[in-house]
Amino acid sequence: MKRTREILALCIAISSINAHAQNYIEQPAYEPVFYTNTSSGYIPYSDTEIEREALMAAAASAHVDPKNAVMTSTSEVNWTKKTFSSDVSMDIIKAGIPMPSGKGTSVNRIKMQLPVLVKDPLLSIYVDNSKTLGDLVLEGTITLENLTHIVDNSKQTPAVFASGGNTLLTKHTLDLKDISTSLVKHHSPYTQNQPIEKIASRSYSGIVLDARGSLPIQGEFTNSKVSPCLFPRIWSDDMNLVYERNMVNPETAKKKGIVHYSSSDFIEDYSDRVGKDPLWITVKKVYGINRCDPVISHDDYLRITTVRENLNLLREGKIVILLDKESLEYTVQVPNKNKNYYVAYRQMQRFIQENKVPDVILNESLIGIQLTMNNLRFVADSAELLPEEKGRIATIAASLKATLETGDYTVLVEGHTADVNKPNGQMTLSIQRAQSIINALAREGLNKDLFTFRGFGGTKPVADNNKAEGRALNRRVEIIIIPKGTTIMYE
């Protein structure tokens, strides 16, 4: 148990060091050294040593072979209740704990190792339209120690025996408000200004935004369902900011959260939040990298902001967002970072090093193996790759083929541009360039069905846009190899 905490502390320390060392590009939560420095340069360890280190990394990430698993954990989120719950089971036989005298020991062992079991699912929770809890950990806004403290203080049901007494079951539930409360930093809210333009309106008791179903994505050419998060923003369709966390009384934001999520048509189910006479708004679009922000019409924006009493509804957090039930209650799937995954990561790293692929950085991100292609050369202001990129694409394709053959993976391609103050054009171009890379890899023999794509425009810079070299780094494509989702298991 002490060793578990030491491994977790090591993961935190190494992740923090690496994040700063690589210009804030994501680094692995566990980063063992696989290369030895000799007079002739860096020489890879043997495949046997890679396997040994991969086993250690998988154990630190709570991903082990099922036949060796002593504990398993499945986590679920309920955004209506604002809960994150984990069903934990412990194999008493594999644990070697005598029963019934060892029941208390088993319960304590589960409690001690729970932070490791739920870490990855918890870090995947969306904070806002662009960040997860994992992103906040990487940037230092919140620490794994903070989250561990919240997990340690979660509610736990009494442990019960199942499977003829060979398995011990318990459920841990934490309140997502405990996390959002720690992230509310403002001391007084600011009030949305009343626009010069007016529209016929009146005062209401609250605001209900119906965002159910698939909606057009603002600035893109596809649709998506709205995803729940801790701090959604509301925008008008001309991208005026209507609502965000700093408009809410901080005590209200800490106690209730800034919105309430529901899937119900019945106002009675949330009248305690919005009263019995709310303004009902049909959401027109969704916005943001994580698809969390509702976009309403300009007229609905004016119906809120024209009347001073309605602006006070924002201050009081009297907002309900309606989403489909399956978007609000779901099992959290996390990438299966088992031994094979870490072996594939290190072999891919070795392949890129041996082939001296230029302007490529390989990291292990929260969701998978991240390969960043910097300084990609396209025809100016287009998604057409220049011919001189063919060699680099062919080498990357060969590396991907070798990796994809080792397990069950999907591949996400993310396009990024420099920020030149043309957000809509940048978003479109980043999407088109991600698609261009997929097409180029498919021409090298990769299965196009394995790929999905996203564009971020200039919203996630890794360098200074005011300098030419910074803009070159920001014009990049990131290829993320994502292993299938799985239940968390621990030895």
Side-chain angles (χ1 to χ4, degrees):
M1 292 178 283
K2 181 180 178 182
R3 176 61 178 160
T4 299
R5 296 288 174 151
E6 290 173 349
I7 291 173
L8 187 56
L10 177 64
C11 294
I12 298 167
I14 294 175
S15 178
S16 175
I17 293 168
N18 286 336
H20 290 285
Q22 292 290 344
N23 293 323
Y24 304 100
I25 296 175
E26 284 185 349
Q27 295 291 324
Y30 177 84
E31 180 69 15
V33 177
F34 281 75
Y35 298 92
T36 181
N37 195 3
T38 69
S39 58
S40 59
Y42 283 91
I43 305 299
Y45 281 166
S46 68
D47 287 342
T48 300
E49 289 168 310
I50 285 179
E51 290 237 351
R52 178 179 57 81
E53 292 282 4
L55 279 170
M56 292 173 59
S61 298
H63 293 271
V64 300
D65 191 305
K67 69 176 182 291
N68 297 326
V70 172
M71 291 186 216
T72 64
S73 174
T74 302
S75 297
E76 297 180 346
V77 178
N78 186 318
W79 285 94
T80 300
K81 296 180 179 179
K82 295 185 174 66
T83 58
F84 178 94
S85 58
S86 300
D87 291 309
V88 181
S89 66
M90 182 176 187
D91 189 314
I92 301 300
I93 304 301
K94 289 181 180 177
I97 299 175
M99 289 293 145
S101 61
K103 184 176 181 180
T105 300
S106 299
V107 171
N108 288 334
R109 182 170 173 182
I110 289 174
K111 189 173 180 65
M112 284 293 293
Q113 294 179 344
L114 186 68
V116 179
L117 287 165
V118 306
K119 174 176 67 71
D120 285 354
L122 189 59
L123 292 180
S124 72
I125 295 292
Y126 289 155
V127 174
D128 56 30
N129 71 356
S130 64
K131 294 180 180 179
T132 64
L133 280 174
D135 293 324
L136 296 193
V137 170
L138 286 171
E139 70 184 26
T141 301
I142 192 170
T143 67
L144 283 177
E145 184 178 1
N146 298 144
L147 295 177
T148 297
H149 178 74
I150 292 172
V151 171
D152 283 343
N153 287 281
S154 61
K155 297 177 182 178
Q156 179 180 349
T157 62
V160 296
F161 288 102
S163 302
N166 293 333
T167 303
L168 193 64
L169 305 176
T170 183
K171 179 187 283 286
H172 290 252
T173 302
L174 63 85
D175 193 332
L176 290 175
K177 291 199 300 293
D178 290 340
I179 296 175
S180 63
T181 294
S182 69
L183 297 172
V184 175
K185 304 297 185 182
H186 65 288
H187 299 289
S188 59
Y190 75 91
T191 301
Q192 175 73 277
N193 291 326
Q194 287 185 287
I196 297 174
E197 187 180 358
K198 303 291 182 181
I199 195 173
S201 186
R202 63 177 178 85
S203 62
Y204 293 90
S205 61
I207 300 170
V208 177
L209 280 73
D210 190 345
R212 291 173 292 188
S214 184
L215 299 171
I217 300 172
Q218 176 75 19
E220 300 184 32
F221 303 102
T222 185
N223 289 7
S224 173
K225 289 192 173 185
V226 178
S227 298
C229 70
L230 298 177
F231 300 111
R233 297 181 180 93
I234 301 172
W235 304 83
S236 68
D237 54 12
D238 48 4
M239 298 313 291
N240 283 311
L241 182 58
V242 182
Y243 183 66
E244 57 109 1
R245 77 174 90 173
N246 294 316
M247 294 181 185
V248 186
N249 183 302
E251 294 309 312
T252 299
K254 291 177 181 178
K255 184 177 180 181
K256 298 182 177 180
I258 71 167
V259 302
H260 174 72
Y261 286 107
S262 178
S263 59
S264 174
D265 286 312
F266 301 105
I267 293 176
E268 293 80 9
D269 290 337
Y270 35 84
S271 59
D272 59 333
R273 184 81 179 216
V274 295
K276 297 182 178 180
D277 182 33
L279 171 61
W280 195 286
I281 295 174
T282 299
V283 173
K284 301 300 181 183
K285 296 180 181 179
V286 58
Y287 175 70
I289 294 167
N290 294 332
R291 319 307 193 206
C292 295
D293 292 357
V295 179
I296 64 177
S297 72
H298 183 69
D299 283 354
D300 285 328
Y301 158 67
L302 292 176
R303 287 187 179 92
I304 296 171
T305 54
T306 293
V307 179
R308 176 61 60 180
E309 288 82 358
N310 292 339
L311 289 175
N312 289 335
L313 299 176
L314 305 181
R315 177 186 290 261
E316 297 164 9
K318 292 184 176 294
I319 309 290
V320 167
I321 299 177
L322 301 183
L323 301 181
D324 296 310
K325 188 173 182 179
E326 60 267 24
S327 298
L328 296 173
E329 302 175 27
Y330 54 87
T331 299
V332 183
Q333 292 290 314
V334 296
N336 183 12
K337 296 186 177 183
N338 58 19
K339 183 199 75 171
N340 292 338
Y341 166 85
Y342 283 103
V343 168
Y345 169 50
R346 287 307 180 179
Q347 289 176 338
M348 190 172 187
Q349 188 177 54
R350 185 166 60 185
F351 181 95
I352 289 171
Q353 183 189 43
E354 290 175 347
N355 285 275
K356 297 180 173 60
V357 186
D359 293 320
V360 168
I361 299 173
L362 191 70
N363 295 308
E364 201 260 317
S365 73
L366 291 170
I367 63 172
I369 301 170
Q370 178 177 302
L371 189 152
T372 302
M373 301 179 68
N374 288 319
N375 199 26
L376 276 167
R377 288 161 291 184
F378 293 87
V379 173
D381 297 323
S382 86
E384 182 183 350
L385 276 166
L386 291 174
E388 49 264 41
E389 288 290 356
K390 181 174 176 58
R392 184 157 55 144
I393 292 292
T395 306
I396 294 300
S399 177
L400 288 173
K401 284 179 188 176
T403 301
L404 294 176
E405 288 173 356
T406 66
D408 191 0
Y409 299 99
T410 59
V411 183
L412 172 63
V413 179
E414 298 180 342
H416 301 265
T417 67
D419 187 358
V420 292
N421 296 316
K422 296 179 181 179
N424 288 336
Q426 291 164 193
M427 184 65 72
T428 301
L429 186 59
S430 68
I431 293 168
Q432 292 172 343
R433 287 182 172 177
Q435 292 172 316
S436 180
I437 294 297
I438 292 173
N439 291 333
L441 293 170
R443 287 193 293 271
E444 297 294 331
L446 287 162
N447 183 358
K448 196 172 181 179
D449 293 338
L450 293 175
F451 290 84
T452 57
F453 63 88
R454 288 196 300 184
F456 293 88
T459 61
K460 297 185 77 172
V462 294
D464 188 352
N465 275 299
N466 294 318
K467 299 178 180 178
E469 57 270 26
R471 292 191 295 274
L473 288 173
N474 291 333
R475 289 191 294 269
R476 68 194 190 280
V477 168
E478 293 173 352
I479 301 171
I480 306 174
I481 304 167
I482 305 172
K484 66 180 180 180
T486 184
T487 300
I488 299 294
M489 299 183 183
Y490 197 80
E491 283 187 299

